């Protein structure tokens, strides 16, 4: 009776041993699967982060370049309004918009690639050049003046004084000469016509010669010659200012055009960078999926192999015990088993013997 109870106890222990080994095998398979899944999940999350970073940077670059373009456009509009009206509010608007352009450059410089940083630096330098050129033009515009102030007003007043003196001479030829001079003056001031300036260079000496020949008082002739010289001095000074304004406008207008070109290059380079990065991200994603698939197959293969190995290892001593039991049942009491598993199955074999 005691022998039977001992055998039953050992059978129960054998069942627990088999169950533990199956659990260990299952734990091994799950561990390998978790490792493979964790590696794959890490790769996918990393790929997702990279894609998100590319999208964010692309949007930020586009937004920054759009702000640069918009502010440059507004600065050029304000500059034209200032040239037409001389209103200082437009000069202030130009300065503010160009400051916004430089701020956009600083933003681009903070996260762009090496090429993009170079472009942003160039835009910043061109923005400074634009501002310097416009400030010089604004200074000349203020010197020219508007209304009853500045060089324009002085030239107009000098012309009126010259007309009064000519009227006092009561000489028709001098009136004709002055009429032609004033017509050329208006043509140049309105249209910046170079031909009008050339005509003035010829008309003024001719007018002086006619003054010298005219039968008028010496004092009036002297006043008229001084007035002509004063008017011509003011006109030449005004023409020099206009030439300087046009030259400076050409310089900072070219700077504005170069800024637009650089902005277009940054946008183009950013699109190429985004496409290349997206392609690399897609390849990494595919590689991650491939690696996950391979690792899962390896885990399945290892788990299947371990299961087969464990099943054989567990079934062999049980088969031996079953065979020996059948021999005993047939009356062969000399049958023995030789089991070395180091567990309850080995104890069961010893008890059987």
């Amino acid at each position: 009776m005691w022998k039977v109870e001992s055998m039953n106890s050992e059978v129960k222990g054998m069942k627990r041993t088999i169950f533990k080994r199956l659990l260990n095998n299952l734990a091994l398979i799950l561990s390998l699967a978790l490792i493979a899944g964790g590696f794959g999940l890490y790769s996918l999350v990393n790929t997702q982060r990279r894609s998100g970073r590319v999208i964010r940077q692309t949007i930020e670059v586009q937004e920054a370049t759009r702000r640069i373009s918009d502010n440059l456009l507004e600065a050029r509009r304000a500059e034209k309004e200032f040239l037409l009206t001389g209103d200082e509010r437009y000069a202030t608007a130009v300065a503010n918009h160009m400051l916004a352009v430089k701020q956009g450059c600083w933003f681009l410089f903070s996260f762009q690639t090496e090429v993009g940083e170079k472009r942003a630096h160039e835009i910043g330098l061109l923005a400074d050049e634009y501002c310097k050129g416009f400030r010089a033009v604004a200074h000349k515009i203020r010197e020219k003046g508007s209304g009853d102030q500045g060089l324009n007003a002085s030239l107009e007043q000098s012309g009126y004084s010259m007309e009064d003196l000519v009227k006092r001479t009561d000489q028709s030829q001098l009136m004709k000469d002055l009429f032609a001079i004033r017509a050329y003056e208006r043509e140049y001031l309105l249209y910046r016509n170079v031909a009008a300036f050339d005509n003035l260079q010829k008309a003024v000496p001719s007018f002086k010669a006619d003054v010298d020949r005219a039968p008028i008082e010496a004092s009036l002739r002297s006043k008229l010659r001084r007035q002509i010289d004063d008017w011509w001095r003011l006109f030449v000074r005004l023409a020099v200012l206009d030439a300087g304004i046009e030259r400076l406008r050409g310089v900072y207008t070219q700077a504005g055009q170069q800024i637009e070109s650089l902005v277009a290059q940054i946008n183009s380079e950013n699109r190429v960078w985004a496409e290349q990065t997206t392609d690399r991200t897609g390849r990494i994603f595919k590689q991650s999926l491939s690696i996950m698939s391979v690792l899962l197959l390896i885990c399945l293969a290892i788990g299947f192999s371990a299961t087969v190995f464990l099943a054989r290892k567990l079934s062999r001593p049980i088969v031996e015990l079953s065979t020996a039991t059948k021999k005993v049942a047939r009356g062969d009491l000399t049958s023995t088993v030789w089991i070395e598993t180091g567990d309850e199955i080995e104890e069961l074999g010893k008890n059987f013997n």
Side-chain angles (χ1 to χ4, degrees):
M1 187 67 179
W2 175 83
K3 192 73 172 179
V4 172
E5 291 178 356
S6 178
M7 290 286 289
N8 289 334
S9 176
E10 289 172 358
V11 169
K12 291 179 181 179
M14 181 181 66
K15 290 180 179 180
R16 286 194 297 270
T17 299
I18 294 173
F19 182 71
K20 288 179 182 179
R21 291 187 179 182
L22 289 175
L23 285 179
N24 290 335
N25 190 42
L26 180 60
L28 175 63
I29 296 173
L30 290 176
S31 298
L32 293 174
L34 286 175
I35 292 173
F39 179 81
L41 182 61
Y42 171 78
S43 299
L44 293 176
V45 170
N46 189 39
T47 302
Q48 185 181 15
R49 288 178 179 174
R50 186 174 300 181
S51 300
R53 186 167 60 251
V54 171
I55 294 172
R56 285 194 302 273
Q57 182 167 337
T58 302
I59 294 173
E60 289 172 351
V61 170
Q62 290 177 347
E63 180 65 20
T65 53
R66 185 189 63 79
R67 287 198 301 268
I68 290 174
S69 298
D70 290 347
N71 280 285
L72 178 61
L73 180 61
E74 292 299 324
R76 298 179 78 168
R77 287 176 180 171
E79 175 249 339
K80 291 178 181 178
E81 291 294 331
F82 177 77
L83 294 177
L84 290 174
T85 64
D87 193 334
E88 290 295 330
R89 291 178 298 176
Y90 292 113
T92 303
V94 171
N96 291 336
H97 286 302
M98 292 311 296
L99 177 61
V101 169
K102 289 193 285 187
Q103 289 173 345
C105 296
W106 299 333
F107 178 77
L108 287 175
F109 190 82
S110 65
F111 66 88
Q112 273 288 80
T113 59
E114 182 178 351
V115 176
E117 290 175 356
K118 181 180 178 181
R119 297 277 187 271
H121 181 67
E122 290 175 358
I123 291 175
L125 294 177
L126 289 170
D128 287 335
E129 183 178 339
Y130 189 101
C131 291
K132 290 177 182 178
F134 176 75
R135 282 196 295 268
V137 167
H139 176 73
K140 293 181 182 296
I141 293 292
R142 296 185 187 101
E143 187 177 352
K144 285 179 62 177
S146 60
D148 58 351
Q149 295 180 348
L151 191 57
N152 278 322
S154 298
L155 180 67
E156 188 69 19
Q157 185 60 43
S158 179
Y160 289 146
S161 298
M162 191 164 52
E163 288 178 1
D164 291 339
L165 290 173
V166 170
K167 288 178 182 178
R168 288 171 56 186
T169 65
D170 197 25
Q171 297 292 316
S172 60
Q173 183 60 43
L174 295 182
M175 292 293 292
K176 290 178 181 178
D177 290 343
L178 182 60
F179 180 79
I181 288 173
R182 296 289 277 173
Y184 291 143
E185 174 195 357
R186 284 191 294 272
E187 183 179 356
Y188 177 81
L189 292 178
L190 288 174
Y191 307 110
R192 299 297 184 267
N193 191 336
V194 178
F197 184 84
D198 293 337
N199 290 330
L200 275 172
Q201 286 183 309
K202 299 174 183 177
V204 169
S206 177
F207 181 47
K208 287 182 179 180
D210 289 339
V211 169
D212 291 337
R213 288 193 296 266
I216 57 177
E217 295 179 1
S219 60
L220 183 58
R221 178 182 291 108
S222 177
K223 289 180 180 179
L224 190 53
R225 285 187 63 86
R226 284 198 303 270
Q227 192 62 46
I228 293 171
D229 290 337
D230 289 342
W231 177 89
W232 181 242
R233 230 178 358 257
L234 290 171
F235 182 82
V236 170
R237 185 178 170 190
L238 185 64
V240 170
L241 282 176
D242 286 335
I245 288 172
E246 290 302 315
R247 181 184 62 81
L248 290 170
R249 283 196 68 200
V251 171
Y252 70 72
T253 298
Q254 184 179 8
Q257 293 171 348
Q258 290 176 335
I259 290 174
E260 292 176 348
S261 176
L262 288 170
V263 167
Q265 291 179 24
I266 289 175
N267 282 329
S268 176
E269 291 168 358
N270 185 62
R271 283 193 298 270
V272 172
W273 173 81
E275 291 173 358
Q276 292 176 347
T277 306
T278 302
D279 291 340
R280 287 197 299 269
T281 303
R283 289 196 297 269
I284 293 173
F285 184 79
K286 291 180 180 179
Q287 290 175 357
S288 299
L289 288 178
S290 300
I291 293 173
M292 282 183 63
S293 301
V294 171
L295 288 176
L296 287 174
L297 289 175
I298 292 174
C299 291
L300 290 175
I302 293 175
F304 179 76
S305 300
T307 301
V308 172
F309 173 77
L310 182 62
R312 289 181 177 179
K313 185 177 181 182
L314 292 176
S315 62
R316 186 179 297 111
I318 295 174
V319 169
E320 291 181 6
L321 280 172
S322 177
T323 303
T325 303
K326 290 178 181 179
K327 290 181 180 180
V328 171
R330 288 196 298 267
D332 186 3
L333 299 180
T334 63
S335 178
T336 59
V337 294
W338 184 257
I339 298 175
E340 293 182 352
T341 58
D343 52 21
E344 289 83 352
I345 299 176
E346 181 178 345
E347 290 295 326
L348 183 62
K350 291 179 179 179
N351 292 331
F352 177 83
N353 293 330

